[in-house]
Amino acid sequence: VSRRALLQLCSNIRHYGMAFMRNVPIEDDAVLKVASSISIPKTTCYGHRWDVVQEATTNVSHPAYSGAELDLHTDMNYREKSPGLQFLHCTQLNWVKSPKDIPASQ
């Protein structure tokens, strides 16, 4: 990731409270590399990262694994090591046709 892209990422986080990046490689630790460029990743009970995969069954263990739409929210803010920033790396998205389809971009 270029220095200019990281500066833009930080600027957007500061201004909007969130940011989008495009063309992050689809590799297991690609998002961890980006996060490490601007912060110090914390290890949680899930590790440095964890995968959210929509399960094809209706009997899911957590709403994050279901096909249900999740509104904007915070995770783990009740924990001692609550995240300051969360980096989500979408490696496959079948329903988005344009950025307007992403709820947070509206």
Side-chain angles (χ1 to χ4, degrees):
V1 180
S2 73
R3 187 173 179 89
R4 182 178 177 156
L6 291 174
L7 180 61
Q8 186 64 51
L9 175 70
C10 291
S11 176
N12 287 344
I13 291 169
R14 181 172 182 239
H15 188 263
Y16 300 108
M18 62 185 298
F20 291 95
M21 290 187 75
R22 291 182 176 18
N23 302 320
V24 176
I26 300 176
E27 299 168 0
D28 282 347
D29 288 331
V31 73
L32 188 57
K33 290 176 186 175
V34 172
S36 297
S37 299
I38 65 168
S39 63
I40 300 170
K42 294 180 180 180
T43 301
T44 69
C45 58
Y46 302 109
H48 265 11
R49 68 173 189 83
W50 63 290
D51 298 329
V52 176
V53 178
Q54 181 179 341
E55 296 175 358
T57 178
T58 56
N59 185 19
V60 295
S61 59
H62 192 281
Y65 299 120
S66 74
E69 182 177 326
L70 294 176
D71 291 329
L72 294 176
H73 65 284
T74 58
D75 286 330
M76 299 190 300
N77 53 357
Y78 50 85
R79 293 190 156 315
E80 179 183 337
K81 292 174 127 182
S82 62
L85 292 173
Q86 288 185 311
F87 290 78
L88 305 175
H89 187 203
C90 182
T91 58
Q92 182 178 356
L93 191 58
N94 296 328
W95 58 269
V96 172
K97 293 178 180 55
S98 77
K100 292 179 182 178
D101 292 335
I102 301 171
S105 70
Q106 297 176 0

